[in-house]
Amino acid sequence: MYRDVQFTKQNRRHWYQRQPQTKRPQFVVTGYARTKAGTLRYQIHDVNHHSATDGQRGYITANSKFVMPTYYQTAPKRIKVISPHGVNAYRQINLTQKKRHYRVGTTITVKAIKSYHLTTRLVLSNGTYVTANKILVAKK
């Protein structure tokens, strides 16, 4: 994360190392900017609640080799629960009215994907909804 669009050693705020899928840092993109050379950068807000950088703002690269969307944009056929705490399935798309809990390692069949505000939800074969967050579930 950098203070300015031009990435220099003096502008660097924090260095994020490559992490396993369940521990990757998450950011909210609040804007876009380009360097003098025209390279796209994301203006971000850090939302990693248990880290020293929580709440900080800055710039990161928009290179797809280093960043990816937090939520699935297309529905996978099956997902595997990778969150150590498991995930809950809900009756409503806003994730209310808990129906069932799935433990880590469980494979679930997905029927569709639905948009909900700025996120997406996976519709399971039994009609319940699960988060499409890649930190909690993975394609199988």
Side-chain angles (χ1 to χ4, degrees):
M1 181 181 352
Y2 294 86
R3 286 184 177 86
D4 192 14
V5 177
Q6 302 298 328
F7 290 180
T8 63
K9 202 170 189 179
Q10 293 80 21
N11 281 339
R12 187 183 306 145
R13 278 196 171 166
H14 193 268
W15 180 266
Y16 296 93
Q17 290 191 350
R18 185 176 291 268
Q19 296 285 333
Q21 188 168 345
T22 58
K23 295 183 180 182
R24 288 184 186 148
Q26 294 185 64
F27 308 100
V28 173
V29 176
T30 57
Y32 304 93
R34 292 198 180 266
T35 64
K36 293 175 186 172
T39 308
L40 181 64
R41 307 288 194 213
Y42 291 142
Q43 184 178 10
I44 54 102
H45 176 87
D46 190 320
V47 291
N48 301 298
H49 300 298
H50 299 291
S51 74
T53 59
D54 183 29
Q56 289 186 9
R57 297 175 186 273
Y59 294 88
I60 61 171
T61 182
N63 188 334
S64 62
K65 293 180 183 175
F66 303 104
V67 295
M68 63 187 233
T70 300
Y71 294 90
Y72 285 108
Q73 305 301 310
T74 58
K77 298 243 187 263
R78 283 178 284 148
I79 56 169
K80 183 177 182 179
V81 178
I82 59 173
S83 170
H85 302 291
V87 295
N88 292 323
Y90 298 90
R91 291 183 182 167
Q92 303 294 323
I93 196 166
N94 62 353
L95 302 185
T96 57
Q97 297 180 3
K98 180 179 161 184
K99 176 85 172 169
R100 180 161 183 217
H101 179 78
Y102 293 99
R103 293 182 182 198
V104 63
T106 307
T107 301
I108 310 167
T109 305
V110 177
K111 185 169 65 172
I113 192 165
K114 299 265 183 154
S115 292
Y116 180 74
H117 296 298
L118 297 175
T119 66
T120 55
R121 308 286 195 225
L122 299 173
V123 183
L124 304 183
S125 56
N126 62 5
T128 59
Y129 295 91
V130 170
T131 181
N133 190 321
K134 293 179 184 177
I135 289 177
L136 304 174
V137 296
K139 277 186 187 179
K140 177 88 170 122

